[in-house]
Amino acid sequence: YEQMLPEWNFSIFIKHVHPADRKFVIGTFNSIRHPSALNLEYRIIRKDGAVRWLAVKGKAEGNSEGQIIRSTGVISDVT
């Protein structure tokens, strides 16, 4: 995107994840119930159609409903 999106949430994020990786990414985030490490790689599809591999290294904290309430870390393009 040439400009920041006015809003960013999990629904918008998951639409960018490659369809073949969505189940894995959703499952990873849904399994977080307490502070835990986030270490995963997945593909995204950019607005221009290019596919990129991203690596996520960080920590996330979820609530009892499985919603992420806080995350910190680094996302790197490892294509």
Side-chain angles (χ1 to χ4, degrees), residues 3-54:
Q3 296 180 2
M4 296 285 291
L5 295 176
E7 180 181 354
W8 188 259
N9 57 42
F10 191 77
S11 295
I12 294 169
F13 159 72
I14 207 66
K15 289 177 185 176
H16 290 80
V17 174
H18 192 284
D21 297 339
R22 285 183 188 154
K23 185 175 180 180
F24 165 70
V25 172
I26 291 169
T28 299
F29 281 92
N30 283 344
S31 68
I32 296 170
R33 297 285 186 270
H34 49 65
S36 58
L38 268 181
N39 294 302
L40 65 150
E41 290 187 11
Y42 57 89
R43 292 166 289 180
I44 61 163
I45 303 173
R46 294 186 342 182
K47 184 179 177 184
D48 65 4
V51 175
R52 309 298 289 186
W53 277 95
L54 299 183

